[in-house]
Amino acid sequence: MLVFIIRRLTQSAIVVAVMSVLVFAGIFAIGDPIDVLISPEADEAERAAAIARLGLDRPMHEQFLAFAQEAAKGDLGRSFVHGVPALDIVLQRFPATLELALAAMLIAVLLGIPLGVWAGLRPDGIAGRTIMTGSILGFSLPTFWVGMLLIMIFAVTLGWLPAGGRGATREILGVPFSFLTADGLAHLVLPAINLALFKISLVIRLARAGTREVALQDYVKFARAKGLSARRVVGVHILKNIMIPVVTVLGLELGSVIAFSVVTETVFAWPGMGKLLIDSILQLDRPVVVAYLMVTVLLFVVINLVVDLLYSLLDPRIRLGGSRS
Amino acid sequence: MNQDQPMKGQQIEAGAPLLRVEGLRTEFETRAGAVRAVDGVDLEIRRGEILGLVGESGSGKSVTGLSLLGLVDPPGRVGGRILFEGEDLARAGERRLRHIRGARIAMIFQDPMMTLNPVLSVETQMVEAVLAHARVTREEARRRSRDALARVGIPSPEERLRAYPHQFSGGMRQRVAIAIALLHAPALIIADEPTTALDVTIQAQILFEVQKLCRETGTALLWITHDLAVVSTLADRIAVMYAGRIVETGSVAEVIDTPRHPYTRGLINSVPSRNRRGQPLAQIPGMTPSLLDLPRGCAFRPRCPRAQEDCQEEPGLFGAGHRWRCFHPEPVPAMGPATEVRA
């Protein structure tokens, strides 16, 4: 187990190093921040001074080495626009995105697994077919359009739920969360459903395919032959087996939900990292974009590691690092 | 709460069979029409008796076993009468069947690699089986599970209880399945080819073990197999199945020593034997017919060396006690057993 974790951490460090090079190279491709940052009336001397101050006069590899040195110490530079450390800006926005992503995943699991199992047990029934047709819609409707539709129906026409923002928040350990207040929860519902829609469909499909396969196995028949109730056969014998692929995929998806909640955050004006990224790209605020991408890479790496560990908990046949058998 | 059920069973007239199956029919709806996997099967098992149900792959013997417990998956439909301890299981609801499964009739499946759930510990799978039928504490259920493992010859049961199925060998897994089947001292165990997937030495051990345990507890056994040699050492009576029907039934001595149906004769001749070493093995020509396209009359007719014109009619059952479904049965040999199949 320990050997496995050490090996994975080494691999992760390499991934992070390679990604930092790619990110740094990529950031040069999206434009020169000088044009945005300095007023057009500034003269040549002011311009040269600003460029020197930001370190933009040095060649790219020197800039990268300076960046890497500071990054290793945990300093990802200062925002060109706000003048404060970029990492702080990103981390400040992180709880909002994390909250939204976790809420969406929770909805996806709570709705997707029961619906998928149901559709898997009765693949030819009316309910099963309706669920599958619904999941096709979930896959194919574009997120921004569904988001606007949700706002139109529930915020504008019915007036039940707010259209945007985080609402009132309450702090745990100095970090603000929306779901702890009634107002915040009301603000969270629509964006979470919007972000969850695609994942629900994904979970339904995974759970249905798994159920159809597992339900035919001899061990399910043997469980029934033991006189177990249908609830126990489905809820323990089938569910535990289909959870293996579901957890794997959901774990990987959690990373992508956090990283790419950009669209939903923009539609619902949710003050998370996604919205920050869009704003920073528009202002060519290089350090913030780099900090955002580095945080995202780290997230992916950590989540993958956690999924691998979870996997071994769910499936006793996988014992990491060779335990006795 | 199931404790009073054996008593109820025993109050039924003495001598009545434990299980009487009459006209069992199991059909599957397919695109190509209804397939009748089991077609009018009659069986009788007395208390403590071992009945061997023999047939080739696709003869309907496994479906027969599943039908008895209502475990046929949709779109399968089961008809006929399944009288078990005076109750017709074919008409029992799912709730009632659940109380019988595992408690009064247990089942053991063919492939021990597949019958235990890979992600649940042996303890979980045994304790849940105890708790499904007995109102006892978890510790008591655990104690019963451990004792059951010890009874089927699993060393250090306390430790093995915590293990997962993949940590057991095939033979050990089948012992666990047998231990689960024996948990509630059922009146009948349906064993669907339980030794086929095991190697020969383990097979012999399991056979011995099952036979011993059934004799000890007075449990009747329906042993479903394609292996005539195995069943002839184990069973009291044999029923031979072909294309969804019983074609011959009788005591082991009757069926093995004086087979009357040509199919049974063919099966016996295709068992390797030390008496006929060096000679080519006899085989039955042709293949099991498709259930979608059965020949008219006797289903064995196209493969039968003794078939004549009148075999296009459906033969009934002939004989008493030892019975066969054939117009032109094999002659009874004048002297002694014709073949040695006991391996």
Side-chain angles (χ1 to χ4, degrees), chain B residues 246-320:
Chain B
I246 303 287
V247 295
E248 182 160 3
T249 171
S251 70
V252 169
E254 286 166 343
V255 175
I256 300 293
D257 295 342
T258 60
R260 304 305 305 273
H261 198 285
Y263 176 63
T264 315
R265 156 69 66 206
L267 276 185
I268 292 171
N269 285 348
S270 52
V271 173
S273 143
R274 33 177 192 277
N275 295 354
R276 286 178 281 128
R277 181 170 304 176
Q279 294 173 28
L281 211 51
Q283 26 176 317
I284 305 174
M287 281 168 38
T288 333
S290 157
L291 291 172
L292 276 168
D293 185 25
L294 282 181
R296 201 151 51 84
C298 175
F300 189 57
R301 179 169 53 87
R303 303 169 74 184
C304 182
R306 303 179 66 83
Q308 294 177 25
E309 275 301 300
D310 55 353
C311 292
Q312 303 213 6
E313 301 288 316
E314 174 71 46
L317 276 171
F318 297 90

Side-chain angles (χ1 to χ4, degrees), chain A residues 106-283:
Chain A
L106 194 69
I107 293 172
V109 168
L110 291 184
L111 283 180
I113 290 179
L115 288 175
V117 170
W118 190 10
L121 290 175
R122 291 159 207 275
D124 299 319
I126 293 171
R129 286 179 195 197
T130 311
I131 291 168
M132 292 321 286
T133 313
S135 87
I136 294 175
L137 284 182
F139 265 127
S140 36
L141 296 179
T143 310
F144 74 89
W145 184 78
V146 174
M148 289 193 290
L149 205 67
L150 288 173
I151 291 177
M152 282 297 289
I153 296 172
F154 293 100
V156 177
T157 309
L158 296 172
W160 291 352
L161 294 164
R166 264 190 102 175
T169 55
R170 185 176 294 171
E171 296 196 349
I172 307 178
L173 303 172
V175 180
F177 285 103
S178 291
F179 73 99
L180 294 168
T181 65
D183 179 53
L185 203 58
H187 280 82
L188 181 61
V189 173
L190 285 185
I193 289 177
N194 184 217
L195 191 57
L197 202 66
F198 184 87
K199 305 301 165 199
I200 295 174
S201 308
L202 186 70
V203 174
I204 285 178
R205 300 218 150 230
L206 281 172
R208 184 185 103 114
T211 304
R212 289 197 68 177
E213 192 188 315
V214 171
L216 295 177
Q217 299 291 323
D218 272 0
Y219 55 76
V220 171
K221 204 157 259 186
F222 187 64
R224 289 177 67 205
K226 288 195 294 193
L228 301 182
S229 63
R231 211 167 79 201
R232 182 151 180 105
V233 172
V234 174
V236 175
H237 286 257
I238 292 184
L239 198 61
K240 195 138 187 232
N241 276 284
I242 66 167
M243 282 316 281
I244 297 167
V246 171
V247 165
T248 313
V249 173
L250 277 187
L252 299 176
E253 289 293 320
L254 178 63
S256 77
V257 167
I258 292 175
F260 307 118
S261 58
V262 178
V263 174
T264 299
E265 286 185 6
T266 308
V267 171
F268 288 92
W270 188 263
M273 291 196 303
K275 197 161 175 307
L276 174 70
L277 175 69
I278 298 294
D279 294 345
S280 304
I281 290 176
L282 290 176
Q283 296 166 334

Side-chain angles (χ1 to χ4, degrees), chain B residues 72-322:
Chain B
V72 175
D73 285 322
R77 280 197 313 271
V78 179
R81 274 156 50 96
I82 304 166
L83 293 166
F84 175 74
E85 294 182 328
E87 181 181 0
D88 188 355
L89 300 188
R91 298 166 71 180
E94 183 63 24
R95 225 184 137 76
R96 179 72 195 126
L97 279 173
R98 191 170 82 66
H99 284 293
I100 290 170
R101 289 179 196 143
R104 303 300 299 141
I105 305 180
M107 200 153 179
I108 307 170
F109 289 88
Q110 172 170 358
D111 189 349
M113 301 293 175
M114 303 299 298
T115 49
L116 296 175
N117 196 324
V119 300
L120 300 176
S121 70
V122 168
E123 174 171 353
T124 307
Q125 301 191 49
M126 292 192 81
V127 166
E128 69 179 2
V130 174
L131 295 179
H133 301 290
R135 285 195 184 160
V136 295
T137 61
R138 190 156 279 276
E139 290 82 70
E140 170 64 10
R142 194 170 188 284
R143 196 187 57 75
R144 287 194 197 180
S145 307
R146 196 189 53 216
D147 292 350
L149 285 185
R151 197 161 38 169
V152 295
I154 289 182
S156 50
E158 179 66 39
E159 195 180 314
R160 300 308 268 165
L161 207 50
R162 283 190 297 270
Y164 283 87
H166 70 276
Q167 293 166 313
F168 288 79
S169 67
M172 280 297 169
R173 282 189 221 190
Q174 198 60 292
R175 281 171 195 265
V176 172
I178 292 167
I180 291 174
L182 288 169
L183 275 175
H184 295 283
L188 172 66
I189 293 179
I190 300 169
D192 187 359
E193 307 234 25
T195 58
T196 308
L198 306 175
D199 58 37
V200 190
T201 47
I202 307 295
Q203 184 174 339
Q205 285 176 17
I206 297 277
L207 274 175
F208 172 76
E209 207 73 53
V210 168
Q211 195 171 19
K212 192 186 83 177
L213 291 166
C214 284
R215 298 282 186 229
E216 275 172 16
T217 52
T219 303
L221 194 58
L222 176 61
W223 191 274
I224 299 170
T225 181
H226 66 272
D227 192 336
L228 207 55
V230 162
V231 92
S232 62
T233 62
L234 176 76
D236 302 308
R237 286 191 307 121
I238 290 184
V240 180
M241 203 162 173
Y242 187 78
R245 297 186 167 206
I246 303 287
V247 295
E248 182 160 3
T249 171
S251 70
V252 169
E254 286 166 343
V255 175
I256 300 293
D257 295 342
T258 60
R260 304 305 305 273
H261 198 285
Y263 176 63
T264 315
R265 156 69 66 206
L267 276 185
I268 292 171
N269 285 348
S270 52
V271 173
S273 143
R274 33 177 192 277
N275 295 354
R276 286 178 281 128
R277 181 170 304 176
Q279 294 173 28
L281 211 51
Q283 26 176 317
I284 305 174
M287 281 168 38
T288 333
S290 157
L291 291 172
L292 276 168
D293 185 25
L294 282 181
R296 201 151 51 84
C298 175
F300 189 57
R301 179 169 53 87
R303 303 169 74 184
C304 182
R306 303 179 66 83
Q308 294 177 25
E309 275 301 300
D310 55 353
C311 292
Q312 303 213 6
E313 301 288 316
E314 174 71 46
L317 276 171
F318 297 90
H322 181 196

